[in-house]
Amino acid sequence: MKKLLSIFLFTLLLISCKKETTTHTPDHFTETTVDTISNQEVEITVRDTVQLKIPQTLLTLIQNEFEGKKIEILHVAFGKLDNDSLEDAVAIIQDQTNEKPSESILVFKKNSTNYTLMAHNRSIITEEYFFTNAHTNSSKEIKIEQQQLKIDLYCYGPCGNTFLDFKVNNDDLVLDHFSTYDAGAGAQIEREYLVDTNLVKIKITNTMTEEMDVTEEEFPFTYSKGIRFIDLNTKDLFKELGSLESKIIL
């Protein structure tokens, strides 16, 4: 009788252990599934033909930022803006909701499980650089390298080429370097804004002479609206610079 009782208790113990193992298994698989979804990539089409893969979480954030609007993702780039090991992201979005489109640059900070919107600017890219039938000679490039966000705007007309570099400073994105290059009738004009020293250097090459005479000037300048990424307006910056240049150079 004691032998039968011992066998019965041993059997109950085995069943109990099996039930306990089964109870913990679903929790384990649920956690793995959630982690897989957070890292899932989706394929999108940019500039009508280019195929690009981006994380689903990033795409969702972009869509939420422009909820209810008709948008097109023109470009997305990844890289490290700070000292951690995670790749941050930058995107150019064209809002086509209204008759006159606008283009925004969004910068996203990557954390362990998701992205957060770090900065949003609607006035760095002006209509001269839009991908439209009216501006077929214009383009723009964005990239993150050497812990800097680099924005290159190209135009083979009167607007010229513009290059802006931003860096993270005290958890804020600020302008680190600004330069332009314009090749017009009779002259090439290069401009460089040294943000750290609040100086502007301008170089004018006279292409109407064989000697290609070069004139260089340097003058103090501080952009009135500040150098934060979210505040920068390229048209306004050009206007302030042009006003100073006309007084000093002409």
Side-chain angles (χ1 to χ4, degrees), residues 219-237:
F219 54 89
F221 173 78
T222 302
Y223 181 45
S224 64
K225 288 184 171 58
I227 58 173
R228 297 177 70 207
F229 175 84
I230 62 174
D231 299 325
L232 200 72
N233 183 309
T234 48
K235 276 193 173 181
D236 189 65
L237 176 58

mmCIF file of all heavy atoms in Angstrom, residues 219-237:
data_model
loop_
_atom_site.group_PDB
_atom_site.id
_atom_site.type_symbol
_atom_site.label_atom_id
_atom_site.label_comp_id
_atom_site.label_asym_id
_atom_site.label_seq_id
_atom_site.Cartn_x
_atom_site.Cartn_y
_atom_site.Cartn_z
ATOM 1 N N PHE A 219 34.304 89.429 -42.541
ATOM 2 C CA PHE A 219 33.589 90.371 -41.683
ATOM 3 C C PHE A 219 32.806 89.624 -40.603
ATOM 4 O O PHE A 219 32.433 88.454 -40.788
ATOM 5 C CB PHE A 219 32.651 91.260 -42.508
ATOM 6 C CG PHE A 219 31.697 90.517 -43.388
ATOM 7 C CD1 PHE A 219 30.451 90.116 -42.930
ATOM 8 C CD2 PHE A 219 32.032 90.228 -44.703
ATOM 9 C CE1 PHE A 219 29.571 89.440 -43.739
ATOM 10 C CE2 PHE A 219 31.154 89.541 -45.528
ATOM 11 C CZ PHE A 219 29.918 89.151 -45.045
ATOM 12 N N PRO A 220 32.565 90.265 -39.456
ATOM 13 C CA PRO A 220 31.818 89.621 -38.361
ATOM 14 C C PRO A 220 30.346 89.476 -38.706
ATOM 15 O O PRO A 220 29.757 90.339 -39.371
ATOM 16 C CB PRO A 220 32.029 90.575 -37.180
ATOM 17 C CG PRO A 220 32.318 91.893 -37.803
ATOM 18 C CD PRO A 220 33.028 91.609 -39.097
ATOM 19 N N PHE A 221 29.753 88.370 -38.256
ATOM 20 C CA PHE A 221 28.336 88.135 -38.515
ATOM 21 C C PHE A 221 27.788 87.145 -37.498
ATOM 22 O O PHE A 221 28.429 86.146 -37.174
ATOM 23 C CB PHE A 221 28.142 87.562 -39.926
ATOM 24 C CG PHE A 221 26.733 87.134 -40.219
ATOM 25 C CD1 PHE A 221 25.755 88.067 -40.525
ATOM 26 C CD2 PHE A 221 26.379 85.787 -40.181
ATOM 27 C CE1 PHE A 221 24.453 87.675 -40.790
ATOM 28 C CE2 PHE A 221 25.074 85.387 -40.453
ATOM 29 C CZ PHE A 221 24.114 86.330 -40.753
ATOM 30 N N THR A 222 26.602 87.456 -36.987
ATOM 31 C CA THR A 222 25.875 86.547 -36.108
ATOM 32 C C THR A 222 24.422 86.511 -36.576
ATOM 33 O O THR A 222 23.769 87.566 -36.659
ATOM 34 C CB THR A 222 25.918 87.016 -34.636
ATOM 35 O OG1 THR A 222 27.285 87.110 -34.212
ATOM 36 C CG2 THR A 222 25.192 86.026 -33.730
ATOM 37 N N TYR A 223 23.943 85.317 -36.909
ATOM 38 C CA TYR A 223 22.573 85.195 -37.413
ATOM 39 C C TYR A 223 21.588 85.533 -36.295
ATOM 40 O O TYR A 223 21.644 84.959 -35.212
ATOM 41 C CB TYR A 223 22.348 83.784 -37.941
ATOM 42 C CG TYR A 223 20.965 83.539 -38.509
ATOM 43 C CD1 TYR A 223 20.368 84.467 -39.357
ATOM 44 C CD2 TYR A 223 20.254 82.384 -38.202
ATOM 45 C CE1 TYR A 223 19.114 84.245 -39.878
ATOM 46 C CE2 TYR A 223 19.005 82.152 -38.722
ATOM 47 C CZ TYR A 223 18.437 83.091 -39.565
ATOM 48 O OH TYR A 223 17.177 82.872 -40.077
ATOM 49 N N SER A 224 20.678 86.456 -36.566
ATOM 50 C CA SER A 224 19.800 86.999 -35.528
ATOM 51 C C SER A 224 18.856 85.964 -34.921
ATOM 52 O O SER A 224 18.490 86.050 -33.750
ATOM 53 C CB SER A 224 18.974 88.164 -36.093
ATOM 54 O OG SER A 224 18.103 87.692 -37.118
ATOM 55 N N LYS A 225 18.454 84.970 -35.703
ATOM 56 C CA LYS A 225 17.509 83.971 -35.200
ATOM 57 C C LYS A 225 18.197 82.798 -34.499
ATOM 58 O O LYS A 225 17.536 81.852 -34.078
ATOM 59 C CB LYS A 225 16.622 83.456 -36.342
ATOM 60 C CG LYS A 225 15.604 84.493 -36.817
ATOM 61 C CD LYS A 225 14.684 83.909 -37.868
ATOM 62 C CE LYS A 225 13.546 84.867 -38.176
ATOM 63 N NZ LYS A 225 14.022 86.183 -38.642
ATOM 64 N N GLY A 226 19.518 82.842 -34.399
ATOM 65 C CA GLY A 226 20.241 81.787 -33.708
ATOM 66 C C GLY A 226 20.596 80.640 -34.625
ATOM 67 O O GLY A 226 20.216 80.605 -35.795
ATOM 68 N N ILE A 227 21.313 79.672 -34.069
ATOM 69 C CA ILE A 227 21.854 78.589 -34.896
ATOM 70 C C ILE A 227 21.196 77.245 -34.606
ATOM 71 O O ILE A 227 21.681 76.207 -35.063
ATOM 72 C CB ILE A 227 23.378 78.473 -34.692
ATOM 73 C CG1 ILE A 227 23.719 78.222 -33.211
ATOM 74 C CG2 ILE A 227 24.081 79.724 -35.203
ATOM 75 C CD1 ILE A 227 25.181 77.940 -32.961
ATOM 76 N N ARG A 228 20.094 77.225 -33.850
ATOM 77 C CA ARG A 228 19.410 75.957 -33.593
ATOM 78 C C ARG A 228 18.774 75.443 -34.886
ATOM 79 O O ARG A 228 18.212 76.214 -35.673
ATOM 80 C CB ARG A 228 18.338 76.132 -32.518
ATOM 81 C CG ARG A 228 18.872 76.547 -31.166
ATOM 82 C CD ARG A 228 17.739 76.765 -30.192
ATOM 83 N NE ARG A 228 17.094 75.496 -29.832
ATOM 84 C CZ ARG A 228 15.829 75.395 -29.454
ATOM 85 N NH1 ARG A 228 15.050 76.469 -29.416
ATOM 86 N NH2 ARG A 228 15.333 74.224 -29.117
ATOM 87 N N PHE A 229 18.838 74.153 -35.086
ATOM 88 C CA PHE A 229 18.292 73.521 -36.282
ATOM 89 C C PHE A 229 16.816 73.875 -36.473
ATOM 90 O O PHE A 229 16.372 74.179 -37.585
ATOM 91 C CB PHE A 229 18.453 72.001 -36.166
ATOM 92 C CG PHE A 229 17.820 71.216 -37.280
ATOM 93 C CD1 PHE A 229 18.480 71.005 -38.474
ATOM 94 C CD2 PHE A 229 16.543 70.677 -37.127
ATOM 95 C CE1 PHE A 229 17.900 70.274 -39.500
ATOM 96 C CE2 PHE A 229 15.950 69.947 -38.137
ATOM 97 C CZ PHE A 229 16.629 69.738 -39.332
ATOM 98 N N ILE A 230 16.046 73.846 -35.386
ATOM 99 C CA ILE A 230 14.603 74.064 -35.501
ATOM 100 C C ILE A 230 14.254 75.505 -35.870
ATOM 101 O O ILE A 230 13.142 75.780 -36.332
ATOM 102 C CB ILE A 230 13.861 73.660 -34.206
ATOM 103 C CG1 ILE A 230 14.337 74.518 -33.024
ATOM 104 C CG2 ILE A 230 14.051 72.187 -33.915
ATOM 105 C CD1 ILE A 230 13.542 74.267 -31.747
ATOM 106 N N ASP A 231 15.195 76.446 -35.692
ATOM 107 C CA ASP A 231 14.918 77.860 -35.961
ATOM 108 C C ASP A 231 15.457 78.339 -37.301
ATOM 109 O O ASP A 231 15.087 79.418 -37.765
ATOM 110 C CB ASP A 231 15.530 78.743 -34.857
ATOM 111 C CG ASP A 231 14.968 78.436 -33.483
ATOM 112 O OD1 ASP A 231 13.773 78.104 -33.394
ATOM 113 O OD2 ASP A 231 15.723 78.517 -32.499
ATOM 114 N N LEU A 232 16.338 77.561 -37.906
ATOM 115 C CA LEU A 232 17.069 78.068 -39.068
ATOM 116 C C LEU A 232 16.169 78.228 -40.291
ATOM 117 O O LEU A 232 15.419 77.329 -40.651
ATOM 118 C CB LEU A 232 18.231 77.131 -39.411
ATOM 119 C CG LEU A 232 19.317 77.781 -40.272
ATOM 120 C CD1 LEU A 232 20.115 78.782 -39.458
ATOM 121 C CD2 LEU A 232 20.247 76.734 -40.838
ATOM 122 N N ASN A 233 16.270 79.396 -40.927
ATOM 123 C CA ASN A 233 15.536 79.698 -42.153
ATOM 124 C C ASN A 233 16.552 80.165 -43.189
ATOM 125 O O ASN A 233 17.158 81.230 -43.036
ATOM 126 C CB ASN A 233 14.492 80.792 -41.876
ATOM 127 C CG ASN A 233 13.634 81.110 -43.087
ATOM 128 O OD1 ASN A 233 14.143 81.360 -44.171
ATOM 129 N ND2 ASN A 233 12.336 81.113 -42.892
ATOM 130 N N THR A 234 16.780 79.358 -44.215
ATOM 131 C CA THR A 234 17.865 79.665 -45.151
ATOM 132 C C THR A 234 17.615 80.964 -45.927
ATOM 133 O O THR A 234 18.546 81.732 -46.170
ATOM 134 C CB THR A 234 18.065 78.507 -46.144
ATOM 135 O OG1 THR A 234 16.810 78.116 -46.686
ATOM 136 C CG2 THR A 234 18.706 77.322 -45.465
ATOM 137 N N LYS A 235 16.372 81.238 -46.325
ATOM 138 C CA LYS A 235 16.094 82.481 -47.054
ATOM 139 C C LYS A 235 16.393 83.699 -46.191
ATOM 140 O O LYS A 235 16.961 84.693 -46.644
ATOM 141 C CB LYS A 235 14.629 82.503 -47.520
ATOM 142 C CG LYS A 235 14.406 81.761 -48.819
ATOM 143 C CD LYS A 235 13.043 82.058 -49.400
ATOM 144 C CE LYS A 235 12.903 81.449 -50.781
ATOM 145 N NZ LYS A 235 11.593 81.735 -51.401
ATOM 146 N N ASP A 236 16.006 83.620 -44.924
ATOM 147 C CA ASP A 236 16.251 84.725 -44.012
ATOM 148 C C ASP A 236 17.748 84.882 -43.735
ATOM 149 O O ASP A 236 18.264 85.997 -43.647
ATOM 150 C CB ASP A 236 15.485 84.476 -42.704
ATOM 151 C CG ASP A 236 15.519 85.675 -41.781
ATOM 152 O OD1 ASP A 236 14.957 86.714 -42.145
ATOM 153 O OD2 ASP A 236 16.137 85.569 -40.700
ATOM 154 N N LEU A 237 18.455 83.755 -43.613
ATOM 155 C CA LEU A 237 19.902 83.796 -43.408
ATOM 156 C C LEU A 237 20.594 84.454 -44.592
ATOM 157 O O LEU A 237 21.481 85.306 -44.429
ATOM 158 C CB LEU A 237 20.428 82.375 -43.191
ATOM 159 C CG LEU A 237 21.936 82.186 -43.052
ATOM 160 C CD1 LEU A 237 22.491 83.010 -41.901
ATOM 161 C CD2 LEU A 237 22.279 80.715 -42.863
#
